[in-house]
Amino acid sequence: MTPSRTTLRAAIGTVSAAVLATTVLIAPATAEAAAPQSARTAAAAGPAVRFVDIEGDGGITLKANVFTPADADGSRRYPVIVLPTSWAMPQVEYMAQAKKLADAGYVVVGYNSRGFWQSGGQIETAGPQDIADASKVIDWALAHTPADPQKVGMGGVSYGAGISLLASAFDKRIKAVAALSGWANLIDSIYSGRTQHVQAAAMLGGAGALTGRPSPELQTILKNFFASNLDKEPDMIAWGKKRSPATYLDRINANGAAIMLGNAWGDSLFPPNQYADFYEKLKGPKRLEFRPGDHATAEATGLFGLPNDTWTNTERWFDHYLKGVDNGIDRESPVLLKSRSTGAYEGYPSWRDVPSAHRRIELDGSKRINTNWDSGADGGVIFLSSMLDQFLRLPPMASIPLLPRSLAAVWQSERYPTGQRVRGTTHLHTTMSSTAESGTAVAYLYDVGPLGLGKLVTHAPFTFHGKTPDQPFGVDLDLFSTAYDVPAGHRLAVVVDTVDPLYIEHNPSGARLTFSSPAADPSYVSVPVRD
């Protein structure tokens, strides 16, 4: 008999728990067994871990694990950190980091978000029930562990990051947040430029269906999303707005939690722009970190207990804002960027201060392209492309001279005599017309070497509806933020085409797009650089 999905999910969850728990708990014990007796005696007093059931909103059961410091004897209280799991991840996701934090004197509660694995309820996609669950877990920790009610922190990766940020708007007890690979604006993440990020949404939908129980609301949203049902677009935007920390910015600022944001330049699910915009509007203690990679890859090694800069700074953040440790993190440059090209860290006083100048590429002349055919300029494949860039510095590439000009509009700068350190958000301004009322264009910025091979620096999609055919209209588009070094002697190329596997395109069959540069309103691309 073929096992049911529920049975498979339970089996996978059990195996995952066993593997991760073995990595976190048994491997260190093996190392201790080989150590001298004195070392084994000291190691025996490690943090205590137990698996518990916590009642969530509406009476559902949230599966959780709790780490308590080894010296907890009932005579004192400790700062507490609550870690909701990432989308589709089992509750043992954070056990390696939880053990480290407990060793450092924290009570740590990691729990499976509702609707996933063995936790009850349905997947509400960081809806009101998820926020209420977070407060219920804090309530439980204060009642059942030596947790200090004045020193409550929340954090997590991806889904856990979003829930933590949202919870900080509704629960004043939360004093510090570390939101890694999360989102501030859900619509700007998966529907930026009014364009469906199809690979990202398909991954989320498929993983949710495999490991959890999507709510009817989520199923309806995804159905209309993939069907490009414009009649339901207002419903989707309202659904996303309710689940976006940016919507509750005033409440987050009023509550005053210290917010640390971390993300990757190539995040396929939550592009960095929306985090940078949100960061600039935060009023309390704040920190922003961007590194090479894709969704959650900057934090991944830390989940296995390996050295990891993101998690190191996360612990330092909690140490300062929950324990009051004078470790200097509050005096460091609050914006920390790691270059995709050199791997070097750079600190800045604010996101606005990242670029010191802008290089302008004129988009002169008039260019007309046909739609519905892939020119060869693409943003890559989710996860794979940005991970190749992260580990091998191999971003998606295209031969710029060989791109068919009937399918791609191309402009190039002169060769730069010195290297250009692209830092921040590239902006495109142009005048466009279409033979149809709806359409999609995707803009790319390439670093072009002497042989014409272009390496992708950044890109972004743009979709329009309800335009008068052949009537020009203005387009302003922010490409995804990045940190990339263009070598001396190279050019920058701007490419615009109409098809990219990452996105759903809306060009009717046979439609053509025209890009022009009126004398009264010239078209250009503004590239932020750090001189």
Side-chain angles (χ1 to χ4, degrees):
M1 182 174 65
T2 302
S4 67
R5 188 183 68 173
T6 301
T7 301
L8 288 172
R9 185 166 57 234
I12 294 171
T14 301
V15 171
S16 299
V19 171
L20 286 178
T22 299
T23 301
V24 173
L25 302 174
I26 297 179
T30 302
E32 290 161 11
Q37 178 62 40
S38 58
R40 292 202 302 270
T41 301
V49 60
R50 55 195 174 108
F51 291 85
V52 299
D53 290 347
I54 299 175
E55 183 177 315
D57 185 56
I60 70 158
T61 297
L62 299 172
K63 295 293 185 177
N65 56 79
V66 184
F67 280 82
T68 306
D71 60 354
D73 58 6
S75 64
R76 56 172 292 198
R77 291 189 174 274
Y78 301 84
V80 58
I81 298 173
V82 174
L83 303 172
T85 54
S86 303
W87 186 273
M89 288 294 288
Q91 60 144 318
V92 294
E93 175 184 10
Y94 302 113
M95 289 188 74
Q97 286 302 319
K99 182 179 183 298
K100 286 187 176 183
L101 289 167
D103 281 334
Y106 291 91
V107 172
V108 187
V109 184
Y111 73 94
N112 237 128
S113 303
R114 71 165 49 221
F116 287 104
W117 298 99
Q118 288 81 26
S119 281
Q122 298 177 321
I123 302 172
E124 302 294 344
T125 322
Q129 299 96 323
D130 293 291
I131 311 313
D133 285 345
S135 290
K136 288 277 193 179
V137 173
I138 294 173
D139 292 342
W140 184 93
L142 297 179
H144 296 88
T145 74
D148 187 336
Q150 304 304 316
K151 299 177 180 178
V152 178
M154 280 196 71
V157 176
S158 185
Y159 196 47
I163 290 175
S164 297
L165 280 176
L166 287 162
S168 73
F170 292 92
D171 196 322
K172 294 181 179 180
R173 296 173 297 182
I174 299 170
K175 305 303 181 186
V177 172
L180 313 177
S181 290
W183 73 92
N185 189 314
L186 193 55
I187 294 302
D188 279 356
S189 296
I190 61 172
Y191 195 55
S192 70
R194 210 178 176 187
T195 308
Q196 298 104 313
H197 296 213
V198 64
Q199 289 187 17
M203 190 284 296
L204 289 170
L210 178 64
T211 62
R213 299 166 297 284
S215 68
E217 182 181 30
L218 174 57
Q219 294 180 58
T220 298
I221 289 292
L222 288 175
K223 177 182 177 182
N224 292 328
F225 180 92
F226 291 122
S228 302
N229 188 342
L230 286 179
D231 290 339
K232 297 298 183 180
E233 184 183 46
D235 294 341
M236 181 185 69
I237 291 173
W239 174 86
K241 186 176 181 180
K242 183 186 294 186
R243 291 159 169 81
S244 296
T247 301
Y248 311 103
L249 179 67
D250 289 345
R251 298 185 65 150
I252 292 173
N253 283 333
N255 288 345
I259 307 291
M260 173 179 162
L261 306 173
N263 207 346
W265 294 119
D267 195 313
S268 299
L269 306 186
F270 308 128
N273 299 46
Q274 42 91 37
Y275 246 17
D277 292 343
F278 181 70
Y279 169 83
E280 286 291 274
K281 297 172 184 174
L282 288 171
K283 302 298 184 185
K286 59 183 179 179
R287 183 177 179 88
L288 177 67
E289 300 185 357
F290 284 141
R291 295 178 172 85
D294 207 304
H295 184 68
T297 63
E299 305 88 23
T301 56
L303 294 176
F304 293 96
L306 300 175
N308 181 278
D309 290 352
T310 304
W311 283 105
T312 296
N313 285 345
T314 294
E315 184 173 342
R316 294 177 64 223
W317 190 254
F318 285 134
D319 282 349
H320 182 74
Y321 288 102
L322 294 182
K323 288 183 176 181
V325 176
D326 185 13
N327 54 19
I329 197 167
D330 57 319
R331 297 187 296 275
E332 296 173 2
S333 296
V335 175
L336 183 68
L337 311 183
K338 189 175 185 180
S339 168
R340 290 167 48 201
S341 304
T342 67
Y345 280 109
E346 305 166 1
Y348 299 91
S350 75
W351 177 249
R352 292 188 305 273
D353 291 314
V354 170
S356 60
H358 290 79
R359 302 283 183 264
R360 188 157 163 149
I361 302 172
E362 304 296 338
L363 308 184
D364 51 6
S366 179
K367 301 181 187 293
R368 170 170 280 199
I369 61 175
N370 298 312
T371 65
N372 298 318
W373 293 89
D374 193 336
S375 71
D378 286 324
V381 179
I382 62 168
F383 299 130
L384 176 62
S385 297
S386 291
M387 289 177 69
L388 287 173
D389 185 40
Q390 176 183 1
F391 297 111
L392 301 177
R393 295 179 187 164
L394 292 175
M397 300 182 191
S399 176
I400 305 304
L402 296 182
L403 292 176
R405 279 14 183 201
S406 61
L407 304 178
V410 180
W411 300 265
Q412 293 192 75
S413 72
E414 297 298 322
R415 288 190 177 90
Y416 295 107
T418 59
Q420 304 294 303
R421 299 168 63 210
V422 179
R423 298 291 186 275
T425 306
T426 296
H427 181 77
L428 178 148
H429 172 77
T430 190
T431 296
M432 180 176 172
S433 64
S434 172
T435 58
E437 66 174 4
S438 294
T440 297
V442 186
Y444 308 88
L445 183 69
Y446 283 98
D447 160 25
V448 185
L451 299 180
L453 182 64
K455 295 182 177 181
L456 186 64
V457 177
T458 181
H459 79 287
F462 167 75
T463 293
F464 59 89
H465 297 289
K467 299 297 184 181
T468 302
D470 297 316
Q471 182 67 41
F473 58 93
V475 173
D476 283 282
L477 177 66
D478 284 339
L479 279 60
F480 301 140
S481 305
T482 195
Y484 181 96
D485 294 3
V486 179
H490 284 211
R491 306 173 186 263
L492 284 172
V494 178
V495 177
V496 183
D497 71 2
T498 64
V499 174
D500 191 304
L502 290 171
Y503 310 109
I504 292 178
E505 53 88 11
H506 295 263
N507 298 295
S509 179
R512 290 177 292 174
L513 303 181
T514 300
F515 303 91
S516 59
S517 184
D521 185 20
S523 297
Y524 63 89
V525 162
S526 178
V527 181
V529 296
R530 187 74 189 181
D531 288 329

